Amino acid sequence: MATPVSVTSSSAAAPVQSKDDTPVSTVAKAKAELNASIVQASLTVSLNSSNDPMSVVLKTALTGINEALKNDFGDNAIQNAMSQDNTPEGTAGRIVSLSTAFYEAYKQQHPGDDESTTLNNFVNTLKKGVDQGFKEARDVLQGLQVLNGDIASNIDKTYDLVQKGFDDFIAAHQTKDVTPGEPSAPKANAV
């Protein structure tokens, strides 16, 4: 069994300076610190572990994403987003609300179609996208060998809650279409 190599660097805590002693921008300092941490992480990778190199990829990717999103979402956009409700209920709620927000635009692209047909076609389109997205997420997590236990059951629960959210969306829009005092038409099945 290989033992991990551990390197302690006193220069990691040292301030970053330019060669000509001019002040270094915050971005340049952050990049230099990232590079130092990547080097340190690379040196601490265990030869028998296949997941440690992924931590370097993750850290580098998150730093790049944070930098790209900084102008629109401020510092640490990813960390701030991760502080949101990531329970199955919270995640499903975001999926449903973000995707169903396009309904009015979808209706405008299908003028003349029956309201019920438009509604069902819209939700069926969303469900196809959700099915594809959840399948891809499961495949990725399976490839990382983490699709088990709570993770698998939370994904299943989230999927079920999204489907229920779409069904509730259909029901809410079908009741809007019925004028008070008029008999309601039989409801069409969404799927």
Side-chain angles (χ1 to χ4, degrees), residues 26-157:
T26 306
V27 172
K29 183 177 179 181
K31 284 184 180 181
E33 290 172 358
L34 171 66
N35 289 340
S37 68
I38 290 172
V39 169
Q40 185 164 355
S42 297
L43 293 173
T44 59
V45 170
S46 170
L47 297 175
N48 67 341
S49 174
S50 62
N51 289 332
D52 287 327
M54 293 308 295
S55 68
V56 174
V57 172
L58 175 63
K59 190 171 193 175
T60 306
L62 290 178
T63 301
I65 292 168
N66 276 331
E67 189 173 316
L69 296 176
K70 185 175 184 174
N71 290 337
D72 293 323
F73 300 101
D75 292 332
N76 300 317
I78 296 296
Q79 290 81 349
N80 295 337
M82 290 181 67
S83 67
Q84 66 192 359
D85 180 4
N86 290 316
T87 63
E89 295 80 5
T91 302
R94 282 190 305 281
I95 292 169
V96 171
S97 66
L98 291 171
S99 61
T100 57
F102 291 97
Y103 182 55
E104 291 303 317
Y106 184 88
K107 280 186 356 183
Q108 290 176 1
Q109 292 179 354
H110 297 88
D113 286 357
D114 173 69
E115 180 78 21
S116 178
T117 301
T118 301
L119 178 62
N120 287 325
N121 287 344
F122 174 71
V123 173
N124 286 338
T125 299
L126 294 180
K127 285 184 176 188
K128 280 176 50 178
V130 165
D131 287 348
Q132 178 182 344
F134 271 77
K135 179 190 179 314
E136 289 173 5
R138 284 183 178 109
D139 290 347
V140 167
L141 295 171
Q142 186 67 43
L144 294 171
Q145 299 176 348
V146 295
L147 185 61
N148 51 40
D150 285 345
I151 293 173
S153 63
N154 283 339
I155 290 172
D156 293 341
K157 184 175 182 180

